[in-house]
Amino acid sequence: PPDEAHVEFKPGYNALIGPNGSGKSTLLRALALCPHCAIERADSDVVKYITTETLNPNMGGAFSSWEQMIQGIRAMFLSHGQGVVDTLLNQSHGNETVVMIDSPETGQDLDNSEYIYRGLLKMAERYQVIVATNSLLFMRSGNLIDLGEQSLSRLIEATKRLAAGFDVT
């Protein structure tokens, strides 16, 4: 039916892009949590859904696993950005075949973002990786799925205009 949305993810690295409110995070949540959402995948596929909240052990609340408790203790001695990187580096990997990460750039400087991006590309050699992002850095390769209208070209132009206002001599 014409009122049904269709999004196709490819093997490897996929990036959902679009302006705030375009549905990037909602789509990831729906794929991970909605029992009524149709997902074409093998019965053996296991989806791992990582959000900004689950990446930041300082968010508070009860720990649901030994791993989360250890990450929470480690994060008490790190900045937010360092805590997110530390948590990503120390994720346990089971038998997941699809890893979805919402806003991996949150709280990161350029060097940490680049480090995370390279790690995600490495993961994409073994898993299907899907990120929701507003960062040009995370849009550099793979399958781009634009939930807006020409989001990439609009973001590039806006970045050029912004950068033109700086004197870097």
Side-chain angles (χ1 to χ4, degrees):
D3 60 342
E4 289 186 20
H6 177 82
V7 176
E8 187 172 335
F9 299 104
K10 295 182 179 172
Y13 185 79
N14 296 267
L16 290 168
I17 66 172
N20 289 346
S22 62
K24 299 179 301 291
S25 297
T26 301
L27 180 55
L28 287 186
R29 266 191 313 278
L31 291 172
L33 306 171
C34 178
H36 305 292
C37 297
I39 303 171
E40 289 182 32
R41 62 179 184 223
D43 290 338
S44 60
D45 282 355
V46 175
V47 175
K48 184 170 192 173
Y49 175 49
I50 303 170
T51 67
T52 305
E53 291 78 21
T54 59
L55 283 176
N56 183 3
N58 285 325
M59 290 301 290
F63 299 114
S64 62
S65 70
W66 178 254
E67 176 186 34
Q68 285 182 2
M69 184 180 77
I70 291 171
Q71 285 304 129
I73 292 168
R74 289 170 60 106
M76 291 187 321
F77 303 99
L78 301 170
S79 71
H80 168 75
Q82 290 171 318
V84 169
V85 169
D86 185 65
T87 302
L88 271 174
L89 285 173
N90 291 292
Q91 287 282 318
S92 63
H93 295 285
N95 56 348
E96 65 267 13
T97 55
V98 180
V99 177
M100 300 186 302
I101 304 177
D102 193 359
S103 304
E105 70 274 11
T106 300
Q108 301 303 319
D109 61 21
L110 188 58
D111 289 338
N112 275 351
S113 290
E114 179 69 34
Y115 183 69
I116 292 169
Y117 173 72
R118 285 194 318 267
L120 293 175
L121 290 181
K122 189 98 175 128
M123 285 176 70
E125 294 171 5
R126 297 181 310 176
Y127 314 122
Q128 183 180 47
V129 174
I130 304 169
V131 299
T133 186
N134 285 317
S135 170
L136 282 173
L137 194 148
F138 288 87
M139 297 178 194
R140 290 184 296 177
S141 64
N143 180 33
L144 294 182
I145 301 159
D146 191 348
L147 300 182
E149 292 183 26
Q150 300 177 342
S151 299
L152 181 59
S153 59
R154 291 174 56 219
L155 184 57
I156 290 170
E157 286 305 313
T159 302
K160 285 179 184 176
R161 287 192 306 274
L162 178 64
F166 288 90
D167 181 17
V168 292
T169 56

